[in-house]
Amino acid sequence: MSDLAIDHISKSFGATDVLHRIDLTIDRGDFLVLVGPSGCGKSTLLSIVAGLEQPTSGRILIGGNDVTTAEPKERDIAMVFQSYALYPSMTVERNIGFSLEMAGVAKDKRKARVREVAELLKIEQLLPRRPSQLSGGQRQRVAMGRALVREPEVFLFDEPLSNLDAKLRVDMRVEIKRLHQRLGTTIVYVTHDQIEAMTMATKIAVMKDGFVQQFGAPKDVYDRPANVFVATFMGSPPMNILPAEIVEARGGLAVRFEKDEIAVPAHIDLDAVHAGQKTFLGLRPEAVHLGQLPSGSLAWTFDHTVDVIEPTGPSTLALMEFGEDEFIASLPGDADIVAGESYTFAADLSKALLFDRETGNRIAHRPGTEAPAPTLSVVGAKG
């Protein structure tokens, strides 16, 4: 039985439709990340799961039980907010144990459970302090402890790391991932940060304008994005997207873009393309290499001037202009390149994707090469 089912959830505020028939199902122990730009509806969806908002239509089921109209306290959930929401006059110990206190749990059992959670989060030494005496990262641990102490069916996280600096975000990301692996809990986590989504999730739901654009495992969302929006939103730097067209060529069909023409990659389903079709060619920056690829590789080789160099440490980003489009190659950190100079590049076409320009949807792979992971591209949701 699934641990959480979001069944045809829609939400409107007056005449404004915020969510459009969202369907997501996750099993016990899954880590679902709802990711998307600000205003896409992810926090509204989380609030509906929590019982803080009522859907216009649809159902929420937790452990097979319909909790759509149940109060938040009746749903066996715990929520960690962006703002921490700690009681300033209470010690850390009492903040963590307050829900148990309200539930009438005996003092000795309450103290034992708080101590157990504090040891898990490595904050035992903070128990006598008050929130004003804590750093941002420590406050976030306390907020997590307050959720963990209740041992709920589902944990809900609403952008919990957005107030932390870059290093603390990484540290807390690892801590949350480690906790999930140790406890095997079911988590629904909201963020606009696609790095958080990729590194933490077992399942990702990418949202835009109230639609789920794609739902699946992180690797499948990254390698086989459902549409142009997902392709460019998931990935840093984003996927390169070049306008292209399917044309007839000797021996079959080809992809024409810029001043080049390449055979339609072998993994693309030829039944899904036709001559004259307007498309986009998609290439991840890490699929673009300096110099030639080994003999026999399916590659697009081109010479181009590098406009900007961005060293990041482990990699060097080479930014180029293709007409009105920016094109990025992610090269090794020690790549010996200089802005303003021309170099030979080779793109690995075994990693290339094609998207229909009219719908924005990815053109299917040839049968037998498509991943079996669950993905969906919502009708009416264009990239």
Side-chain angles (χ1 to χ4, degrees):
M1 180 181 292
S2 63
D3 204 40
L4 173 65
I6 298 170
D7 181 24
H8 288 78
I9 289 292
S10 295
K11 177 65 177 178
S12 301
F13 293 100
T16 303
D17 296 329
V18 178
L19 297 173
H20 306 271
R21 293 179 66 81
I22 305 296
D23 271 308
L24 298 172
T25 300
I26 63 171
D27 295 325
R28 184 175 299 277
D30 269 340
F31 195 129
L32 169 66
V33 174
L34 305 175
V35 63
S38 297
C40 71
K42 56 188 184 295
S43 289
T44 300
L45 181 58
L46 193 75
S47 293
I48 290 173
V49 173
L52 303 177
E53 290 280 356
Q54 281 296 305
T56 303
S57 62
R59 300 184 305 160
I60 299 294
L61 293 94
I62 296 177
N65 299 313
D66 189 339
V67 298
T68 310
T69 59
E71 293 294 322
K73 65 182 180 181
E74 299 169 347
R75 297 189 179 210
D76 200 11
I77 59 167
M79 193 162 183
V80 179
F81 295 93
Q82 177 180 347
S83 62
Y84 315 140
L86 303 178
Y87 297 107
S89 61
M90 294 183 185
T91 63
V92 167
E93 182 176 15
R94 194 165 176 221
N95 261 286
I96 294 175
F98 190 64
S99 62
L100 301 182
E101 184 179 338
M102 291 295 97
V105 176
K107 186 175 182 180
D108 58 339
K109 292 184 179 180
R110 190 167 71 236
K111 288 179 73 69
R113 179 61 183 153
V114 169
R115 177 67 60 177
E116 180 184 342
V117 168
E119 289 175 358
L120 184 67
L121 294 169
K122 299 179 176 60
I123 55 173
E124 309 100 296
Q125 74 281 7
L126 304 180
L127 291 177
R129 300 187 192 179
R130 285 182 166 74
S132 62
Q133 299 171 299
L134 307 179
S135 68
Q138 290 170 335
R139 292 181 191 181
Q140 189 55 267
R141 277 185 167 84
V142 175
M144 289 170 56
R146 189 173 53 188
L148 287 168
V149 77
R150 294 176 49 200
E151 301 182 288
E153 283 286 320
V154 180
F155 288 96
L156 308 178
F157 288 80
D158 188 9
E159 302 205 49
L161 309 185
S162 59
N163 291 332
L164 304 181
D165 62 41
K167 184 180 184 308
L168 269 178
R169 284 175 73 97
V170 174
D171 292 343
M172 289 303 302
R173 199 166 70 206
V174 172
E175 286 300 321
I176 294 172
K177 181 84 172 183
R178 184 178 289 125
L179 276 171
H180 177 253
Q181 291 172 344
R182 289 177 62 181
L183 301 176
T185 52
T186 303
I187 293 176
V188 182
Y189 187 104
V190 163
T191 183
H192 62 272
D193 186 331
Q194 48 88 22
I195 298 296
E196 282 183 24
M198 288 295 298
T199 56
M200 299 174 75
T202 61
K203 297 285 178 61
I204 292 176
V206 185
M207 297 183 65
K208 177 176 181 271
D209 298 334
F211 289 97
V212 172
Q213 304 286 314
Q214 187 168 1
F215 173 56
K219 180 173 173 55
D220 298 308
V221 171
Y222 186 81
D223 290 340
R224 291 177 172 84
N227 54 39
V228 172
F229 171 77
V230 177
T232 53
F233 187 82
M234 299 301 294
S236 181
M239 180 178 283
N240 296 302
I241 300 291
L242 294 176
E245 182 179 0
I246 305 298
V247 298
E248 292 183 352
R250 284 189 304 173
L253 297 175
V255 184
R256 180 181 293 162
F257 57 99
E258 289 296 312
K259 300 176 183 177
D260 294 279
E261 191 173 292
I262 60 172
V264 174
H267 56 270
I268 300 297
D269 185 359
L270 289 177
D271 291 336
V273 295
H274 58 83
Q277 183 178 5
K278 303 293 185 183
T279 63
F280 289 112
L281 175 68
L283 285 163
R284 291 283 181 197
E286 61 268 26
V288 184
H289 306 271
L290 191 63
Q292 303 279 348
L293 288 181
S295 177
S297 301
L298 182 62
W300 164 43
T301 303
F302 62 94
D303 295 320
H304 211 282
T305 299
V306 174
D307 297 297
V308 177
I309 301 295
E310 289 188 347
T312 68
S315 62
T316 296
L317 304 182
L319 283 67
M320 297 165 266
E321 290 184 2
F322 279 71
E324 297 180 356
D325 300 294
E326 184 177 77
F327 191 89
I328 302 174
S330 182
L331 308 174
D334 59 356
D336 186 16
I337 55 175
V338 179
E341 297 292 327
S342 181
Y343 299 90
T344 298
F345 295 90
D348 182 356
L349 293 178
S350 70
K351 307 292 187 182
L353 300 176
L354 286 179
F355 301 87
D356 183 85
R357 207 185 307 181
E358 182 179 350
T359 65
N361 291 336
R362 178 173 60 85
I363 294 172
H365 284 201
R366 181 168 51 82
T369 65
E370 187 65 271
T375 60
L376 60 93
S377 180
V378 179
V379 175
K382 297 183 179 181

